[in-house]
Amino acid sequence: MARRAGLVALLMIQALSWVFVTDAVADSAFSPNKFAAIVVDASSGEVFYSRQAAAVRYPASLTKVMTLYLAFEALDRGELKLTDKVVISPRAAARPPSKLGLRSGEYLSVAEALDVLVVKSANDVATALAEKMAGSEAAFAKQMTAKARQLGMQNTTFRNASGLPDPRHVSTALDLAILGHALLRDHPRRYAIFRQQETVFRGARIRGHNALLRTPGVDGMKTGFIRASGFNLLTSGVADGHRFIAVVLGGNTASARDQFMRQLLRASFTSLAVRFAGDTLPVATLLGAKDPLPSAKEAVGIVRAWPAPTELSGACGAECWSIQVGAFRHREQGRRRLNDLAARFPQRFSRASQQIVPSGELHQARFAGFNEVAAQQACEFVRSRAEACLVVRVTR
């Protein structure tokens, strides 16, 4: 007991030391009517810190995370290829900065467009890519909003692919954290694109806006700014194999926003370490006077931003459930289907038992070992990607 108490005390001292040696976040660093923030444990969905996280705000270029999410889906479905041409339309060429600056009729590849969207946050490229995928940016914005609802982003409406000003183009810190989590969960192999601090386009070096990527443990995501929003940031940070997803909106300067994000992440990892040691030290307590709105009250208390992963092994009792994701003439086709889903969505299916069940001339591809609720959720997830899925009850 004494040893545990000593460890907790040491962690508290270390935590408080970094809080007080860093520069204070000045009262003028955030505008109360623009500020919002949230930190969420990526594994459990537990909210470690929340200030006005459900308040409607302008996402600015954090919007492009959804643009990229839909592009990744199109790539996975084979509807889009990295070598495809993205032609700059007159409308795209006319978009205001930040932009790549190509003229109408010029083009770049999808691979180049994705890199430029992340690093340069190019509005002209966002519009051109939206037009490539949906025919028009307005049609693409409707797809973005529909996907937001599927992911659980209940207070988000997209009106364009870039985040340029529109009074109806809104989101919340909570919804943007959900988006960041969904991208990590659904497209883990493509997430590395968000770690880029620079890229090269036709021989010219383009440097990015995300200075936080130079912070140890921060491995990606996106910045944003319009006057109506202030300086925004969606970040993912990892330490000792544990990941937090954090959103800060409404900074009066990029440096103030970045500084507060660093403090939030440090406080979150310290709070987690203290918990592992058997005690409690909330993030808000660690921030102290540096909390921009310490008395802010959420309209709805946010305890968990998304469900914790359902335990698969041993969770189904007398009745187990499977999900069937296809029936194939050849066993190897079914195996490839299961391996593909497990690789694309590891947090959903990497721990599920894979089964090939003969049925006449066909081979049914199934993930097994779910309870009923988990099976229904897993199938809904697969169907949300326009792919077939059937829930199957298996009596032991």
Side-chain angles (χ1 to χ4, degrees):
M1 179 67 71
R3 183 179 179 183
R4 191 190 80 177
L7 176 58
V8 171
L10 177 61
L11 287 166
M12 287 183 176
I13 291 169
Q14 291 175 337
L16 293 174
S17 68
W18 71 253
V19 170
F20 289 114
V21 298
T22 54
D23 295 333
V25 176
D27 292 339
S28 61
F30 293 93
S31 301
N33 63 334
K34 298 178 182 178
F35 173 71
I38 192 168
V39 181
V40 189
D41 182 317
S43 297
S44 68
E46 179 184 355
V47 175
F48 272 57
Y49 175 89
S50 176
R51 290 289 182 268
Q52 301 190 139
V56 172
R57 297 288 185 258
Y58 297 115
S61 283
L62 303 192
T63 297
K64 295 183 177 82
V65 177
M66 178 61 87
T67 301
L68 288 154
Y69 182 102
L70 291 182
F72 295 161
E73 283 201 333
L75 287 166
D76 289 346
R77 291 193 299 263
E79 298 170 0
L80 196 66
K81 296 179 180 178
L82 291 174
T83 54
D84 286 349
K85 292 181 180 180
V86 179
V87 180
I88 303 296
S89 67
R91 186 174 190 276
R95 302 305 264 171
S98 175
K99 61 193 297 183
L100 187 59
L102 295 181
R103 295 186 297 272
S104 175
E106 293 188 299
Y107 64 86
L108 68 169
S109 70
V110 169
E112 291 171 326
L114 299 180
D115 284 345
V116 169
L117 274 183
V118 171
V119 177
K120 180 69 174 175
S121 198
N123 297 324
D124 50 354
V125 174
T127 295
L129 186 60
E131 293 169 344
K132 168 75 174 177
M133 288 191 283
S136 72
E137 190 168 15
F140 187 74
K142 291 179 180 179
Q143 294 179 11
M144 296 168 74
T145 301
K147 178 58 65 175
R149 293 295 177 275
Q150 285 185 9
L151 297 178
M153 301 167 65
Q154 297 302 316
N155 295 297
T156 296
T157 300
F158 294 112
R159 304 294 297 184
N160 58 62
S162 62
L164 283 168
D166 185 311
R168 299 164 296 176
H169 188 103
V170 295
S171 189
T172 68
L174 171 61
D175 280 4
L176 292 166
I178 291 170
L179 174 58
H181 175 254
L183 192 141
L184 276 159
R185 179 193 66 209
D186 300 340
H187 303 288
R189 292 179 296 175
R190 301 189 189 276
Y191 173 68
I193 194 173
F194 289 96
R195 298 172 186 163
Q196 296 180 102
Q197 299 183 49
E198 60 180 37
T199 190
V200 176
F201 180 73
R202 297 180 186 173
R205 187 176 301 277
I206 300 174
R207 299 190 185 278
H209 306 291
N210 194 350
L212 213 74
L213 290 173
R214 296 191 289 270
T215 301
V218 172
D219 66 357
M221 290 295 184
K222 189 76 183 68
T223 61
F225 171 79
I226 58 173
R227 290 180 183 175
S229 72
F231 290 86
N232 297 345
L233 182 59
L234 166 61
T235 291
S236 176
V238 182
D240 296 325
H242 206 95
R243 182 182 296 276
F244 282 105
I245 294 173
V247 178
V248 173
L249 307 178
N252 287 340
T253 65
S255 61
R257 171 204 66 193
D258 292 352
Q259 183 179 319
F260 184 60
M261 178 64 83
R262 290 188 192 97
Q263 292 175 345
L264 269 182
L265 289 174
R266 289 170 183 162
S268 298
F269 284 114
T270 300
S271 178
L272 185 66
V274 170
R275 178 185 296 183
F276 286 160
D279 215 313
T280 301
L281 189 58
V283 170
T285 301
L286 285 165
L287 291 174
K290 296 173 178 62
D291 193 330
L293 291 177
S295 60
K297 301 294 184 183
E298 296 291 345
V300 178
I302 304 170
V303 177
R304 199 170 295 278
W306 48 78
T310 304
E311 292 293 334
L312 301 177
S313 179
C316 47
E319 260 188 353
C320 275
W321 296 72
S322 299
I323 65 168
Q324 184 171 310
V325 293
F328 303 89
R329 186 169 297 278
H330 301 290
R331 173 180 290 270
E332 186 55 34
Q333 290 176 304
R335 185 64 64 194
R336 286 199 297 268
R337 170 65 171 154
L338 293 170
N339 288 337
D340 173 66
L341 283 171
R344 286 162 55 199
F345 311 115
Q347 292 190 350
R348 289 268 179 181
F349 300 120
S350 64
R351 296 172 57 198
S353 173
Q354 296 186 11
Q355 294 181 348
I356 302 295
V357 181
S359 177
E361 296 182 355
L362 298 177
H363 297 82
Q364 298 171 342
R366 296 181 181 179
F367 288 109
F370 296 89
N371 61 33
E372 182 178 4
V373 172
Q376 294 288 353
Q377 291 175 343
C379 243
E380 287 174 8
F381 175 82
V382 173
R383 293 189 196 111
S384 73
R385 279 138 185 84
E387 299 181 37
C389 187
L390 176 68
V391 175
V392 180
R393 184 175 65 179
V394 180
T395 304
R396 288 180 170 178

